Amino acid sequence: MARITSSLPLWIGLRYLSAKRRNHFISFISLSSMIGMTLGVAVLILVLSVMNGFDHELRERILGMVPHAVLYERGGVQDWQVLATRVEGFPGVAAAAPLTRLQGMLGYGGRVQGVMITGIDPAVESRVSILPDHITDGTLESLQPGSYGVVLGELLAQHLNVIVGDKITLMLPEATLSPAGVLPRIKRLTVTGIFSVGAELDASLAVINLEDARRLGRLDSQAQALRIRFNNLFDAPQGVWEIVNELDGYFSASDWTRTHGNLFQAIKLEKTMIGLLLLIIVAVAAFNIISTLVMVVTDKQADIAILRTMGAKPSTIMGIFMVQGLSIGIVGVVLGTILGIIGALTIADIVAWVEHAFNFQILSAEVYFISYLPSQLQWLDVAIVTSASLLLSFFATLYPSYRASRVQPAEALRYE
């Protein structure tokens, strides 16, 4: 008997949910609550996955190209191999390589574009950068000392309308005295490669050999600075200053949080705010469950009264309507979770297909820092979304179910 009594709320609650109601408006509200919960959960999982994708691409692509940290020595780095060996001995440091930066303008066929010229050693660049893995034309090894070759970003090459083998003009913002007067420093470079990382760096970065950069910059040292890659990029801000304090000499440093930290923090903030805003959709669906149950309680006054006269306890009546409300929420959350996971796993391919089918680009690397829509599903986000949605559904059932348990049989049956 006790077993039957304990399963009574579940049985009757599911019976009410599946039974055809005389009031079709209540059925419509129930369906809309379920659909609202499904859409809210699905969109929330999808959007959080896309934000995770942006965060991941920022770390892997942008921070794979730009230095985790840069170590500057007063007067330039005289012997970068010795300094790199010392730096790589510090905890958390994965690798170090020389770096020289020049600002200038590249010109070809009447087109001009401002760029950051970066001097590297091709033999060790793969230890600190993802650049060697993203060469689409030519090779990085073609940057030999004295050849004055240059590897351009894909968007930069498209803007200048150049291909591998073309000769372009580099203009540096430093005046040179000549019999004809004061002239800007100009050097002819040969395009020996093109890279593409799908980021804004494709439009603003050009790479040359370290020795060529030293000559163009008229540096007395081997390199301008030392680029450092950490095992954990979040250790870079503190780690590089520990290196500065430990080394003998006049050193200074910079890290990625000063160059791209604002973008990283903006993505984290946007993920939090968008998550909270989209959670409102789930909350609205939960409020619809309240409306549904209130109307069902009103519609089932006579049934409640009969159950009470047959000996049903108020807790049993409350359990019946909690089962009904939670059933709506659970079905909506399960369907939304499934749709959200499927969407998160396929959104990148869907967007790529739409771009190809309709011949337009949703994200441009010239405007955004990547040129495609990334998505990374994290099961922790799925667990948080589903748990929060189920919790909202549970709370939504409390008040209507309590109202149902307080129905007085005599009052309910008076007009029946």
Side-chain angles (χ1 to χ4, degrees), residues 263-274:
L263 181 59
F264 183 79
Q265 293 297 329
I267 291 178
K268 291 182 64 177
L269 179 61
E270 287 175 4
K271 179 184 175 182
T272 302
M273 296 306 299
I274 290 176

Side-chain angles (χ1 to χ4, degrees), residues 26 35 42 68 102 110 154 187 193 256 262 266 276 307 389:
I26 298 178
I35 294 175
H68 289 183
L102 304 171
E154 185 176 50
K187 181 65 180 179
W256 68 270
N262 291 337
L276 292 176
L307 288 171
S389 303

Side-chain angles (χ1 to χ4, degrees), residues 72-84:
Y72 299 95
E73 184 177 5
R74 185 176 181 181
V77 179
Q78 300 300 328
D79 191 337
W80 71 263
Q81 291 93 340
V82 174
L83 183 59

Side-chain angles (χ1 to χ4, degrees), residues 343-361:
L345 295 176
T346 59
I347 185 65
D349 295 331
I350 292 174
V351 171
W353 179 84
V354 170
E355 290 180 338
H356 177 74
F358 296 96
N359 195 28
F360 77 97
Q361 192 171 21

Side-chain angles (χ1 to χ4, degrees), residues 71-78 83 221 223-225 248-252:
L71 181 67
Y72 299 95
E73 184 177 5
R74 185 176 181 181
V77 179
Q78 300 300 328
L83 183 59
S221 56
Q224 195 179 68
D248 296 328
Y250 296 97
F251 291 92
S252 61

Side-chain angles (χ1 to χ4, degrees), residues 22 35 46 55 67 142 144 160 198 265 282 288 323 363 381 384 403:
R22 293 168 296 175
I35 294 175
L46 177 60
D55 179 80
S142 61
Q144 296 298 319
L160 295 175
Q265 293 297 329
V282 180
N288 284 341
V323 166
L363 297 178
D381 288 340
I384 292 174
R403 285 285 303 272

Side-chain angles (χ1 to χ4, degrees), residues 36-322:
M37 187 67 70
T38 300
L39 293 178
V41 172
V43 171
L44 190 51
I45 292 175
L46 177 60
V47 171
L48 290 180
S49 297
V50 171
M51 297 305 295
N52 290 333
F54 274 100
D55 179 80
H56 179 265
E57 292 303 315
L58 171 63
R59 297 187 193 185
E60 296 298 322
R61 290 184 177 268
I62 304 298
L63 297 181
M65 288 291 293
V66 302
H68 289 183
V70 177
L71 181 67
Y72 299 95
E73 184 177 5
R74 185 176 181 181
V77 179
Q78 300 300 328
D79 191 337
W80 71 263
Q81 291 93 340
V82 174
L83 183 59
T85 302
R86 293 173 60 190
V87 168
E88 289 173 355
F90 284 85
V93 175
L99 176 72
T100 296
R101 288 172 171 168
L102 304 171
Q103 289 185 339
M105 300 183 69
L106 292 177
Y108 180 82
R111 300 185 180 187
V112 179
Q113 178 70 33
V115 293
M116 173 68 73
I117 307 294
T118 302
I120 65 168
D121 185 339
V124 296
E125 185 65 13
S126 61
R127 302 179 62 201
V128 295
S129 170
I130 63 172
L131 176 62
D133 299 327
H134 291 81
I135 301 294
T136 59
D137 195 7
T139 61
L140 198 63
E141 289 71 20
S142 61
L143 300 179
Q144 296 298 319
S147 65
Y148 289 98
V150 61
V151 175
L152 304 178
E154 185 176 50
L155 294 178
L156 178 59
Q158 291 176 359
H159 179 79
L160 295 175
N161 195 25
V162 297
I163 59 174
V164 172
D166 288 340
K167 294 187 178 296
I168 58 178
T169 302
L170 169 64
M171 291 170 283
L172 297 175
E174 183 178 336
T176 300
L177 293 176
S178 70
V182 179
L183 298 174
R185 293 182 56 202
I186 298 176
K187 181 65 180 179
R188 298 282 284 178
L189 304 177
T190 303
V191 179
T192 60
I194 295 175
F195 69 87
S196 174
V197 294
E200 60 181 351
L201 295 173
D202 291 347
S204 60
L205 182 63
V207 181
I208 63 176
N209 185 273
L210 181 69
E211 179 62 23
D212 293 344
R214 186 189 69 80
R215 293 174 182 174
L216 290 173
R218 296 179 178 177
L219 302 178
D220 296 329
S221 56
Q222 285 188 347
Q224 195 179 68
L226 196 69
R227 172 176 178 163
I228 305 173
R229 183 172 69 86
F230 286 82
N231 294 319
N232 184 352
L233 64 92
F234 293 104
D235 293 337
Q238 181 179 356
V240 70
W241 286 108
E242 291 178 354
I243 294 173
V244 169
N245 294 330
E246 292 292 332
L247 291 176
D248 296 328
Y250 296 97
F251 291 92
S252 61
S254 178
D255 61 83
W256 68 270
T257 60
R258 299 189 179 188
T259 56
H260 291 78
N262 291 337
L263 181 59
F264 183 79
Q265 293 297 329
I267 291 178
K268 291 182 64 177
L269 179 61
E270 287 175 4
K271 179 184 175 182
T272 302
M273 296 306 299
I274 290 176
L276 292 176
L277 290 175
L278 291 177
L279 193 61
I280 296 176
I281 298 176
V282 180
V284 170
F287 277 112
N288 284 341
I289 294 177
I290 297 177
S291 303
T292 301
L293 290 183
V294 167
M295 287 185 287
V296 170
V297 169
T298 303
D299 189 53
K300 299 296 184 181
Q301 293 276 334
D303 293 359
I304 296 171
I306 293 172
L307 288 171
R308 289 296 305 276
T309 57
M310 293 176 63
K313 297 179 180 179
S315 59
T316 302
I317 302 299
M318 187 173 182
I320 291 172
F321 291 95
M322 288 185 67

